[in-house]
Amino acid sequence: MAYENHHDAAFARKYRCYPISFIDKPHLENGDKIVMPPSALDRLAYLHIEYPMLFELSNTSAGRVTHCGVMEFIADEGLIYLPYWMMENMLLQEGDIVEVKNASLAKGSYVKLQPHTKDFLDISNPKAVLETTLRSYSCLTTGDTIMVPYNNKKYYINVVETKPSTAVSIIETDCEVDFIPPLDFKEPEKPSSSSLSNRTLPEVKEEPPKKIAKFSPFTGSGRRLNGKSSTQPAVSPSSPLIDNPQQNAANGINGSKSSSASSRQKSGKLVFGSNANQSSNGTPKVLPKSSSGEPPQVEEKPKFQAFTGKKYSLRG
């Protein structure tokens, strides 16, 4: 049975509400459209209510208010059928009384939404899914929870804020949509300062100082102009000089002569032919012939001859 409030320019009725599944119209669950009796259409036409027709639903016992549109006028008299998610928002049970009034809402320009779970944000394109779902809605009210079906799963989203008013129409309007973190979102915990202080830094082993090699010039390997490696090893500057074999041989002869002469000398007597009778200018005197009768051998020094070395070609 419907209860009528007599107002000249407003529609106001009270109806008993039931889920929309009672009339076998499951597609109406995905939206905010309700089904009203034919008498409601007659009254709305009499009051010249303009399209789109929007309504305010009130559960006075629970203090809940929401807004909706209408899909059809085929319900039994005194009854209306609501989507089940809308009955949950208004804390209504089957057969409860709900008050219905016509409403005029401004077009929405901004909506802030908050998903219940972060699974909704895991969808490849959540804004596109939401845009498709909101085409089944006529209006949004701050504080409501709407249901978004996708991939055989239901996602519930809170309407946190609407502009320019707490209830707005979203029919044929460009509305900016913003998301805030889901209800089950948890920020990563920051490590406390005490835990950082308890951590001991790993000991760093000191490396022994590296020995730096001293610079030694002219210690590399030699290279010939034809690109072949030299067979003679390089002589380091710190190595001792190679003794001249000719000088060593001369020194050996002089030493043997001096030792043999000194051996023939006797104290208090002059011995002819010894090195003791050398002149002051240091030139040696001619020694007498030996007892064997062989003339003394005089060593001839090699004369200098220019350009007598080996020749090499730059092409190797």
Side-chain angles (χ1 to χ4, degrees), residues 34 54 61 104 107 209 243 309:
I34 65 175
L54 302 178
S61 60
S104 178
K107 290 187 176 182
D243 295 336

Side-chain angles (χ1 to χ4, degrees), residues 48-70:
H48 302 285
I49 303 299
E50 298 179 356
Y51 288 91
M53 294 181 180
L54 302 178
F55 300 92
E56 177 186 292
L57 304 181
S58 302
N59 181 5
T60 55
S61 60
R64 293 296 184 96
V65 177
T66 189
H67 296 80
C68 65
V70 60

Side-chain angles (χ1 to χ4, degrees), residues 201-246:
L201 296 176
E203 296 181 358
V204 180
K205 296 182 180 181
E206 296 182 357
E207 297 182 357
K210 297 181 179 180
K211 295 182 180 181
I212 301 175
K214 294 182 179 180
F215 175 72
S216 299
F218 307 109
T219 56
S221 60
R223 289 285 180 179
R224 300 191 331 190
L225 293 178
N226 57 1
K228 297 181 180 180
S229 59
S230 177
T231 56
Q232 296 180 358
V235 181
S236 61
S238 59
S239 61
L241 296 176
I242 300 175
D243 295 336
N244 191 353
Q246 296 180 359

Side-chain angles (χ1 to χ4, degrees), residues 59-316:
N59 181 5
T60 55
S61 60
R64 293 296 184 96
V65 177
T66 189
H67 296 80
C68 65
V70 60
M71 177 60 69
E72 297 180 82
F73 295 91
I74 60 172
D76 296 336
E77 290 296 331
L79 304 179
I80 60 172
Y81 297 96
L82 310 178
Y84 187 71
W85 66 266
M86 189 178 293
M87 293 183 64
E88 289 181 333
N89 281 345
M90 299 187 65
L91 304 178
L92 292 172
Q93 301 293 331
E94 297 177 5
D96 288 349
I97 300 296
V98 60
E99 185 176 359
V100 181
K101 296 180 181 179
N102 71 302
S104 178
L105 302 178
K107 290 187 176 182
S109 60
Y110 175 79
V111 177
K112 183 184 290 186
L113 304 176
Q114 182 181 30
H116 283 196
T117 60
K118 56 185 179 182
D119 296 342
F120 180 74
L121 300 180
D122 295 336
I123 299 175
S124 59
N125 194 348
K127 286 193 174 183
V129 174
L130 183 64
E131 181 181 356
T132 303
T133 303
L134 290 181
R135 291 175 184 172
S136 303
Y137 285 75
S138 302
C139 50
L140 293 176
T141 306
T142 301
D144 277 358
T145 299
I146 62 175
M147 188 269 295
V148 177
Y150 179 74
N151 200 15
N152 298 326
K153 189 175 181 180
K154 296 180 179 180
Y155 299 93
Y156 291 91
I157 301 176
N158 291 339
V159 181
V160 179
E161 184 182 358
T162 57
K163 291 180 181 180
S165 60
T166 56
V168 295
S169 171
I170 59 173
I171 299 175
E172 297 180 356
T173 181
D174 293 332
C175 187
E176 180 183 356
V177 179
D178 191 15
F179 287 94
I180 62 176
L183 293 176
D184 61 349
F185 176 76
K186 293 182 180 180
E187 295 184 358
E189 298 180 357
K190 297 181 179 179
S192 59
S193 57
S194 59
S195 61
L196 291 177
S197 59
N198 293 334
R199 294 180 181 177
T200 57
L201 296 176
E203 296 181 358
V204 180
K205 296 182 180 181
E206 296 182 357
E207 297 182 357
K210 297 181 179 180
K211 295 182 180 181
I212 301 175
K214 294 182 179 180
F215 175 72
S216 299
F218 307 109
T219 56
S221 60
R223 289 285 180 179
R224 300 191 331 190
L225 293 178
N226 57 1
K228 297 181 180 180
S229 59
S230 177
T231 56
Q232 296 180 358
V235 181
S236 61
S238 59
S239 61
L241 296 176
I242 300 175
D243 295 336
N244 191 353
Q246 296 180 359
Q247 185 177 0
N248 293 339
N251 293 337
I253 295 172
N254 295 335
S256 61
K257 289 181 180 180
S258 60
S259 59
S260 60
S262 59
S263 62
R264 291 194 301 267
Q265 290 180 358
K266 296 182 179 179
S267 60
K269 293 184 180 181
L270 296 176
V271 178
F272 297 97
S274 64
N275 291 336
N277 297 329
Q278 292 180 357
S279 60
S280 59
N281 57 4
T283 57
K285 294 182 180 181
V286 179
L287 296 177
K289 297 181 178 179
S290 60
S291 58
S292 61
E294 296 179 358
Q297 298 178 358
V298 179
E299 297 179 356
E300 295 182 358
K301 296 183 178 180
K303 295 181 181 182
F304 173 76
Q305 295 180 1
F307 304 104
T308 58
K310 296 181 180 180
K311 61 179 180 179
Y312 295 94
S313 175
L314 294 179
R315 294 176 297 178

